[in-house]
Amino acid sequence: MSTADTAPDEASLDERRAGGPATPADWRRLDRRTVLLAALVTAGVAAGAAVPTTLALSGRLGSGPAVAWVLTGAVLLIASGAGGDYVRWRRTRYRVGADRVELHTGLLLVKKRSLARERIRSVDLTAHPLQRVLGLVTVRIGTGEHTGGESALELDPVLRAEGERLRRALLERGLAATSGSHREGELVSLDPRWIRYAPVSFVAPALGGAAAGAVLQVSDWFGAQGRVIEWVGDRYRDTSLLSVIALLAVAGVLAGVVGALGLWVEMWWNYRLEREPGGTLRIRRGLLTSRSVSIEERRLRGVDLVEPLGVRLLGAARVDAITTGLAKDDEEQHDDHNTLLPAAPRPVAGAVAAAVLRETTSPTGAPLTAHPAAARGRRLRRALWVVLAPVLVLALLGALLTPVLLWIALGCAVVGLPAGVLLARDAYRGLGHALSGAYLVTRSGALRRSTAALERAGVIGWTVRQSYFQRRAGLLNITATTAAGASAYTVYDADAAEGLDFASEAVQGLLEPFLERVPPGE
């Protein structure tokens, strides 16, 4: 909740709910070094903005007055940042009661947040480089609900020892011992050789394009973008257009590879996966910014073996957790919070998946039921449409405007059609589903192949979809609905009768009331 300051009787009620009266000893403050941290961060921002600002002002005021104005502005900016954080530190307090965790903050608009301890699902610790130097961490206490930022409390920053104390206190709730004989302690740690999978991820080309954009943007800040483009043109004045395009593409790829390697090192250095007493999986990782994510095993509903195309061609896969109660807001969706293992050799990924689920072998390796040939035809037709639609548009424009577009259309057809057919056939070969012990398994995808092993007890519903064309081909999509992970795991283009039997057997009694059994002779 987020409200203005409550009346005395409401405050007393909150105190009783939290486990007793609010004595001064119950409440704690953030670490006072947050003021120093804010001053250092603001100083870094000011330093980054000082150079282009000074250059811009020098043309009008001269170098001396420009430097004076920039220094004055920097001092005021740093003082404002530190002063604002001092007020935040003075007006922020928190406490952990027997039943609730409370956070009070704000000056003009006072916010009082309260989370019931029984609803807490995650306590994650993060520390960027400055925080690590000062021995501080940011503690994020979340419920895993889809309610934006209101589903979590953030204590930024506290001492690392205090963060560890909070993590243990809030996650240890007398969990019953989980079944299985797998060991506690470290399950897997980083193998530096896994870095070879970073350049083949989809991140590399994106980073290459971002690098080119950054060069143009920075040159524009200094008013030199035209000179940069002219310099590149002069270097390749006597080179054909195709060669220039090829050279720029190679340069972009190299920049993307270097960026992907650096990003991988920052994200996964010092990685290790541990099982703590009481049934908690803990992932630690990060070179400059350290991260610690905890997942309760009792909320684990399965694993997802993810194989992007480039990683799969090298025989590797990563392992994601299918779990309830993990952070779901926009800030953390892009932070790999559910990744248990980065891209690693497939046997390692299978062993980690089995160890996490406390199984002898991973259910993701179970033999899968193949889908009918009609599913392959659907993928081939879809690939042809994806390739031929832009080719036809380019050909039409080429006939009306310029023959150059005709050559581009021809090139797209020559490259796109074989690639589309290969991807379509690969997507069909990847289709499959099976029941493996306590788990149902479904696999799909070509560019991003996903093999999800979902606990059958975690399925809360089924969604059956059948388009007109699927109905003619005798196919259907059947989706297992769950409160964990992506919330829906689909078996695509399965044989209609076999798919319904699969769902009925996976969770007995759930789909049966909606099925009409046909006698074998009819």
Side-chain angles (χ1 to χ4, degrees), residues 110-157:
V110 177
K111 292 185 178 180
K112 294 188 175 183
R113 301 282 313 286
S114 178
L115 294 181
R117 291 186 63 170
E118 63 187 19
R119 299 178 63 187
I120 292 174
R121 302 293 180 260
S122 62
V123 182
D124 300 333
L125 310 182
T126 306
H128 57 69
L130 281 177
Q131 287 179 324
R132 295 181 66 179
V133 170
L134 298 175
L136 305 174
V137 295
T138 297
V139 180
R140 187 175 179 83
I141 305 167
T143 63
E145 298 174 348
H146 295 271
T147 54
E150 299 301 312
S151 64
L153 295 180
E154 189 171 275
L155 308 179
D156 180 23

Coordinates of all heavy atoms in Angstrom, one line a residue, residues 110-157:
V110 N 4.3 11.2 2.6 CA 4.8 10.1 3.4 C 4.2 8.8 2.9 O 3.0 8.7 2.8 CB 4.5 10.3 4.9 CG1 5.0 9.2 5.7 CG2 5.2 11.6 5.4
K111 N 5.1 7.9 2.6 CA 4.6 6.5 2.2 C 4.9 5.5 3.3 O 6.0 5.5 3.8 CB 5.3 6.1 0.9 CG 4.9 7.0 -0.3 CD 5.6 6.4 -1.6 CE 5.2 7.2 -2.8 NZ 5.8 6.7 -4.0
K112 N 3.9 4.7 3.5 CA 4.0 3.6 4.5 C 3.7 2.3 3.8 O 2.5 2.1 3.4 CB 3.1 3.8 5.7 CG 3.5 5.1 6.5 CD 2.7 5.1 7.8 CE 3.3 6.3 8.7 NZ 2.6 6.4 10.0
R113 N 4.7 1.5 3.6 CA 4.5 0.2 2.9 C 4.6 -0.9 3.9 O 5.4 -0.8 4.8 CB 5.6 0.1 1.8 CG 5.6 1.1 0.7 CD 4.5 0.9 -0.3 NE 4.5 -0.5 -0.7 CZ 5.4 -1.0 -1.5 NH1 6.4 -0.3 -2.0 NH2 5.3 -2.3 -1.9
S114 N 3.8 -1.9 3.6 CA 3.8 -3.1 4.5 C 3.6 -4.4 3.7 O 2.7 -4.4 2.9 CB 2.7 -2.9 5.6 OG 2.7 -4.0 6.5
L115 N 4.5 -5.4 4.0 CA 4.3 -6.7 3.3 C 4.2 -7.7 4.4 O 4.9 -7.8 5.4 CB 5.5 -7.0 2.4 CG 5.8 -6.2 1.2 CD1 7.0 -6.7 0.5 CD2 4.6 -6.2 0.3
A116 N 3.2 -8.6 4.2 CA 3.1 -9.8 5.1 C 4.2 -10.7 4.9 O 4.5 -11.1 3.7 CB 1.7 -10.4 4.9
R117 N 4.9 -11.2 5.9 CA 6.0 -12.0 5.7 C 5.7 -13.3 5.0 O 6.5 -13.9 4.3 CB 6.7 -12.3 7.1 CG 7.4 -11.1 7.7 CD 8.1 -11.4 9.0 NE 9.2 -12.3 8.7 CZ 10.1 -12.7 9.6 NH1 10.1 -12.1 10.8 NH2 11.1 -13.5 9.4
E118 N 4.5 -13.8 5.3 CA 4.1 -15.1 4.7 C 3.9 -15.0 3.1 O 3.9 -16.0 2.4 CB 2.8 -15.6 5.3 CG 1.6 -14.6 5.0 CD 0.4 -15.0 5.8 OE1 0.5 -15.8 6.7 OE2 -0.7 -14.6 5.4
R119 N 3.8 -13.7 2.6 CA 3.7 -13.6 1.2 C 5.0 -13.2 0.5 O 5.0 -13.1 -0.7 CB 2.6 -12.4 0.9 CG 1.3 -12.7 1.5 CD 0.3 -11.6 1.2 NE 0.1 -11.4 -0.2 CZ -0.6 -10.3 -0.7 NH1 -1.1 -9.4 0.1 NH2 -0.7 -10.2 -2.0
I120 N 6.0 -13.1 1.2 CA 7.3 -12.8 0.7 C 7.9 -14.0 -0.1 O 7.9 -15.1 0.4 CB 8.3 -12.3 1.7 CG1 7.9 -11.0 2.3 CG2 9.7 -12.2 1.2 CD1 8.7 -10.5 3.5
R121 N 8.3 -13.8 -1.4 CA 8.7 -14.9 -2.2 C 10.2 -14.7 -2.6 O 10.8 -15.7 -3.0 CB 7.9 -14.9 -3.5 CG 6.4 -15.1 -3.3 CD 6.1 -16.4 -2.7 NE 4.7 -16.6 -2.4 CZ 4.1 -16.5 -1.3 NH1 4.8 -16.1 -0.2 NH2 2.8 -16.6 -1.1
S122 N 10.7 -13.5 -2.5 CA 12.1 -13.4 -3.0 C 12.8 -12.3 -2.2 O 12.1 -11.3 -1.8 CB 12.2 -13.0 -4.5 OG 11.6 -11.8 -4.7
V123 N 14.1 -12.5 -1.8 CA 14.9 -11.4 -1.2 C 16.2 -11.4 -2.0 O 17.0 -12.3 -1.9 CB 15.2 -11.7 0.3 CG1 16.0 -10.6 0.9 CG2 13.9 -11.9 1.0
D124 N 16.4 -10.5 -2.9 CA 17.5 -10.4 -3.8 C 18.4 -9.3 -3.4 O 18.0 -8.2 -3.0 CB 17.0 -10.2 -5.2 CG 16.1 -11.3 -5.7 OD1 16.2 -12.4 -5.2 OD2 15.3 -11.0 -6.6
L125 N 19.7 -9.5 -3.5 CA 20.8 -8.6 -3.1 C 21.5 -8.2 -4.4 O 21.9 -9.0 -5.2 CB 21.8 -9.2 -2.1 CG 21.2 -9.9 -0.9 CD1 22.3 -10.3 0.0 CD2 20.2 -8.9 -0.1
T126 N 21.7 -6.9 -4.6 CA 22.4 -6.3 -5.7 C 23.4 -5.2 -5.2 O 23.0 -4.5 -4.3 CB 21.5 -5.7 -6.8 OG1 20.5 -6.7 -7.1 CG2 22.2 -5.3 -8.0
A127 N 24.6 -5.2 -5.8 CA 25.5 -4.2 -5.4 C 26.3 -3.8 -6.7 O 27.0 -4.6 -7.3 CB 26.5 -4.7 -4.3
H128 N 26.2 -2.5 -7.1 CA 27.0 -2.0 -8.2 C 28.4 -1.7 -7.6 O 28.7 -1.7 -6.4 CB 26.3 -0.8 -8.8 CG 26.0 0.4 -8.0 ND1 27.0 1.2 -7.4 CD2 24.8 0.9 -7.5 CE1 26.5 2.1 -6.7 NE2 25.1 2.0 -6.7
P129 N 29.4 -1.3 -8.5 CA 30.8 -1.2 -8.1 C 31.0 -0.2 -6.9 O 31.7 -0.6 -6.0 CB 31.5 -0.7 -9.4 CG 30.7 -1.3 -10.5 CD 29.2 -1.3 -10.0
L130 N 30.3 0.9 -6.9 CA 30.5 1.8 -5.8 C 30.0 1.3 -4.5 O 30.6 1.4 -3.4 CB 29.8 3.2 -6.1 CG 30.6 4.1 -7.1 CD1 29.7 5.4 -7.3 CD2 31.9 4.5 -6.5
Q131 N 28.9 0.6 -4.6 CA 28.3 -0.1 -3.4 C 29.3 -1.1 -2.9 O 29.5 -1.3 -1.7 CB 27.0 -0.6 -3.7 CG 25.9 0.4 -3.8 CD 24.5 -0.2 -4.1 OE1 24.4 -1.2 -4.8 NE2 23.5 0.3 -3.5
R132 N 29.9 -1.9 -3.8 CA 30.8 -3.0 -3.4 C 32.0 -2.4 -2.7 O 32.5 -2.9 -1.7 CB 31.2 -3.8 -4.6 CG 30.1 -4.6 -5.2 CD 30.5 -5.4 -6.4 NE 31.4 -6.5 -6.0 CZ 31.9 -7.4 -6.8 NH1 31.6 -7.3 -8.1 NH2 32.7 -8.3 -6.4
V133 N 32.5 -1.3 -3.2 CA 33.7 -0.6 -2.6 C 33.3 -0.2 -1.1 O 34.2 -0.3 -0.2 CB 34.1 0.6 -3.4 CG1 35.2 1.4 -2.6 CG2 34.7 0.1 -4.7
L134 N 32.1 0.3 -0.9 CA 31.7 0.8 0.4 C 31.1 -0.3 1.3 O 30.7 0.0 2.4 CB 30.7 1.9 0.2 CG 31.2 3.2 -0.5 CD1 30.0 4.2 -0.7 CD2 32.3 3.8 0.3
G135 N 31.0 -1.6 0.8 CA 30.5 -2.6 1.6 C 29.0 -2.6 1.7 O 28.4 -3.0 2.7
L136 N 28.3 -2.1 0.7 CA 26.8 -1.9 0.8 C 26.1 -2.8 -0.3 O 26.7 -3.2 -1.2 CB 26.4 -0.4 0.5 CG 27.1 0.6 1.4 CD1 26.7 2.0 1.0 CD2 26.7 0.4 2.9
V137 N 24.8 -3.0 -0.1 CA 24.0 -3.8 -1.0 C 22.6 -3.1 -1.1 O 22.2 -2.4 -0.1 CB 23.9 -5.3 -0.7 CG1 25.2 -6.0 -0.8 CG2 23.2 -5.4 0.7
T138 N 21.9 -3.3 -2.2 CA 20.5 -3.0 -2.3 C 19.7 -4.3 -2.0 O 19.9 -5.3 -2.7 CB 20.2 -2.4 -3.6 OG1 20.9 -1.2 -3.8 CG2 18.7 -2.1 -3.8
V139 N 18.8 -4.3 -1.1 CA 17.9 -5.4 -0.8 C 16.5 -5.2 -1.4 O 15.9 -4.2 -1.1 CB 17.8 -5.6 0.7 CG1 16.9 -6.9 1.0 CG2 19.2 -5.8 1.3
R140 N 16.1 -6.1 -2.2 CA 14.8 -6.0 -2.8 C 13.9 -7.2 -2.3 O 14.2 -8.4 -2.6 CB 14.9 -6.1 -4.3 CG 13.5 -5.8 -5.0 CD 13.7 -5.7 -6.5 NE 12.5 -5.5 -7.2 CZ 11.9 -4.3 -7.4 NH1 12.5 -3.2 -6.9 NH2 10.7 -4.2 -8.0
I141 N 12.9 -6.9 -1.6 CA 12.0 -7.9 -1.0 C 10.7 -7.9 -1.8 O 10.0 -6.9 -1.9 CB 11.7 -7.5 0.5 CG1 13.0 -7.3 1.3 CG2 10.8 -8.6 1.1 CD1 12.8 -6.7 2.6
G142 N 10.4 -9.0 -2.4 CA 9.3 -9.1 -3.4 C 8.3 -10.1 -3.0 O 8.6 -11.1 -2.4
T143 N 7.1 -9.9 -3.5 CA 6.0 -10.9 -3.4 C 5.8 -11.7 -4.7 O 5.0 -12.6 -4.8 CB 4.7 -10.3 -3.0 OG1 4.3 -9.3 -4.0 CG2 4.9 -9.5 -1.7
G144 N 6.4 -11.2 -5.8 CA 6.2 -11.8 -7.1 C 4.8 -11.6 -7.8 O 4.5 -12.3 -8.7
E145 N 4.1 -10.6 -7.3 CA 2.8 -10.3 -7.9 C 2.9 -9.3 -9.0 O 3.8 -8.5 -9.1 CB 1.8 -9.8 -6.8 CG 1.6 -10.7 -5.6 CD 0.8 -10.1 -4.5 OE1 0.6 -8.9 -4.5 OE2 0.4 -10.9 -3.6
H146 N 1.9 -9.4 -9.9 CA 1.8 -8.5 -11.1 C 1.2 -7.1 -10.7 O 0.1 -6.8 -11.2 CB 1.0 -9.1 -12.2 CG 1.7 -10.3 -12.8 ND1 2.5 -10.3 -13.8 CD2 1.5 -11.6 -12.4 CE1 2.9 -11.5 -14.1 NE2 2.3 -12.3 -13.3
T147 N 1.8 -6.4 -9.8 CA 1.2 -5.1 -9.3 C 2.2 -4.0 -9.4 O 2.2 -3.1 -8.6 CB 0.7 -5.3 -7.9 OG1 1.8 -5.8 -7.1 CG2 -0.4 -6.2 -7.8
G148 N 3.1 -4.1 -10.4 CA 4.1 -3.0 -10.6 C 5.1 -2.9 -9.4 O 5.4 -3.9 -8.8
G149 N 5.5 -1.7 -9.1 CA 6.5 -1.6 -8.1 C 5.9 -1.7 -6.7 O 6.7 -1.8 -5.7
E150 N 4.6 -1.8 -6.5 CA 4.0 -1.9 -5.2 C 4.1 -3.3 -4.7 O 3.6 -3.6 -3.6 CB 2.5 -1.5 -5.3 CG 2.3 -0.1 -5.7 CD 3.0 0.9 -4.8 OE1 2.8 0.8 -3.6 OE2 3.7 1.8 -5.4
S151 N 4.6 -4.3 -5.4 CA 4.7 -5.6 -4.9 C 6.0 -5.9 -4.3 O 6.3 -7.0 -3.9 CB 4.5 -6.6 -6.1 OG 5.6 -6.5 -7.0
A152 N 6.9 -4.9 -4.1 CA 8.2 -5.1 -3.5 C 8.6 -3.9 -2.7 O 8.2 -2.8 -2.9 CB 9.2 -5.3 -4.7
L153 N 9.5 -4.2 -1.7 CA 10.1 -3.2 -0.9 C 11.6 -3.2 -1.2 O 12.2 -4.2 -1.4 CB 9.9 -3.5 0.6 CG 8.5 -3.4 1.2 CD1 8.6 -3.8 2.7 CD2 7.9 -2.1 1.0
E154 N 12.1 -2.0 -1.4 CA 13.6 -1.8 -1.7 C 14.3 -1.1 -0.6 O 13.9 0.1 -0.3 CB 13.7 -1.2 -3.1 CG 15.2 -1.2 -3.5 CD 15.3 -0.7 -5.0 OE1 15.1 -1.6 -5.9 OE2 15.5 0.5 -5.2
L155 N 15.3 -1.7 0.0 CA 16.1 -1.0 1.0 C 17.5 -0.7 0.3 O 18.3 -1.6 0.0 CB 16.3 -1.9 2.2 CG 15.1 -2.5 2.8 CD1 15.4 -3.4 4.0 CD2 14.1 -1.4 3.3
D156 N 17.7 0.6 0.0 CA 18.8 1.0 -0.8 C 19.5 2.2 -0.2 O 19.0 3.3 -0.2 CB 18.3 1.4 -2.2 CG 19.5 1.8 -3.1 OD1 20.6 1.4 -2.8 OD2 19.2 2.5 -4.1
P157 N 20.7 2.0 0.4 CA 21.4 0.7 0.6 C 21.5 0.4 2.1 O 21.1 1.2 3.0 CB 22.8 1.0 0.1 CG 23.0 2.4 0.6 CD 21.7 3.1 0.6

